[in-house]
Amino acid sequence: PEIVAVPAFSDNYIWLLRDSATGAVAVVDPGDGGAALRAAEERGWRIGQVLTTHWHPDHTGGNLRVKEATGCTIHGPASERERIPGIDEELREGDRVRVGSLAAEVWEVPGHTLGHIAFVFRDAGVAFVGDTLFVMGCGRLFEGTPEQMHRSLQRLGELPRDTRLYCAHEYTLGNARFAAHAEPGNEAVLRRLAEVQERRARGEITVPTTVAEERATNPFLRAESVEQLGSLRHAKDS
Ligand code: ZN
Ligand code: FE
């Protein structure tokens, strides 16, 4: 598939996903509907679906505008349906979503919100993880518990090592600095921090990441217990 980052607000990424075989296009988490529509239009792409990972307005604020402009179908987590504008298809763990010839498994990955889902395109080797896992970090626990987030991250970490993970924010530099503080003896973290500093200085984006890179450098994914994850999250928040 072709996957395009659409920057929005100060640090969000909206993702456009196009199935090369059929030309079907989905947009993941269009917080800014105008930005998503312009990016699709520039490429001559027609958005047919919205894939929503969770209800937060920076991920759903553009749903209705995209739907009005394209007549697309909006998919999102069933348990957050009241807070997802325009939702048509309610998704639960184990459901499938198709984008043209591409197929995604729906995973419930609570922690950031209680209903948060990820879209796992296994055959394509791609997963859209919203605000659950960030490059070298994880989402804040606004609704869920450290236990839920621990399990959600461990599940994502068990995907094949070359799976590309697409998250919804450019938080990498701050996360990398925190990771270097949390794991000062981890050479892979220190190397990645230097690389991320260079890439950000050049104005490049740092998403996607891979499962292998996260296993080596993400302290939240590497946490060996719920308690350890909880204290890392607490330290990062304060
Ligand atoms: Zn969020
Ligand atoms: Fe967000």
Side-chain angles (χ1 to χ4, degrees):
E2 295 160 80
I3 300 173
V4 171
V6 182
F9 312 120
S10 57
D11 51 34
N12 281 70
Y13 293 128
I14 298 165
W15 297 103
L16 287 178
L17 167 70
R18 181 177 181 272
D19 173 31
S20 314
T22 64
V25 176
V27 59
V28 183
D29 287 349
D32 180 338
L37 288 167
R38 278 192 301 279
E41 196 177 317
E42 276 168 18
R43 293 168 174 80
W45 295 359
R46 200 198 133 91
I47 295 169
Q49 290 157 278
V50 167
L51 307 182
T52 301
T53 64
H54 67 295
W55 68 269
H56 285 163
D58 62 310
H59 300 252
T60 58
N63 278 13
L64 294 181
R65 176 140 179 222
V66 172
K67 193 174 187 175
E68 278 160 24
T70 64
C72 69
T73 301
I74 298 181
H75 309 256
S79 67
E80 297 183 352
R81 63 178 168 260
E82 275 89 14
R83 293 190 281 188
I84 296 174
I87 189 167
D88 300 296
E89 296 288 333
E90 299 175 11
L91 302 173
R92 295 176 179 79
E93 173 73 34
D95 284 347
R96 306 266 157 176
V97 181
R98 303 197 68 91
V99 177
S101 68
L102 305 170
E105 299 167 17
V106 174
W107 286 17
E108 292 178 357
V109 285
H112 178 69
T113 66
L114 285 175
H116 199 301
I117 58 175
F119 296 89
V120 179
F121 291 83
R122 241 179 222 284
D123 294 342
V126 164
F128 294 94
V129 300
D131 287 357
T132 298
L133 180 147
F134 293 121
V135 182
M136 304 180 83
C138 74
R140 279 180 183 250
L141 300 176
F142 284 120
E143 298 177 5
T145 63
E147 195 160 15
Q148 288 173 322
M149 181 58 90
H150 182 71
R151 169 155 167 70
S152 296
L153 293 175
Q154 291 305 310
R155 282 187 77 188
L156 292 170
E158 284 159 16
L159 282 165
R161 293 175 59 79
D162 58 355
T163 308
R164 281 167 293 149
L165 304 173
Y166 289 81
C167 58
H169 291 272
E170 179 63 64
Y171 288 160
T172 308
L173 185 53
N175 287 344
R177 289 192 178 120
F178 178 78
H181 164 82
E183 293 195 43
N186 183 330
E187 290 293 332
V189 165
L190 300 179
R191 272 198 307 275
R192 202 175 187 192
L193 169 59
E195 181 197 332
V196 164
Q197 282 169 328
E198 285 172 26
R199 286 176 70 172
R200 292 305 292 154
R202 292 196 297 264
E204 294 172 15
I205 82 172
T206 63
V207 186
T209 181
T210 64
V211 167
E213 288 176 289
E214 293 311 302
R215 283 194 207 161
T217 64
N218 186 324
F220 297 89
L221 182 59
R222 293 162 59 76
E224 277 161 15
S225 65
V226 170
E227 292 68 32
Q228 197 185 348
L229 182 139
S231 59
L232 281 168
R233 193 60 263 176
H234 185 74
K236 179 71 166 60
D237 291 346
S238 55

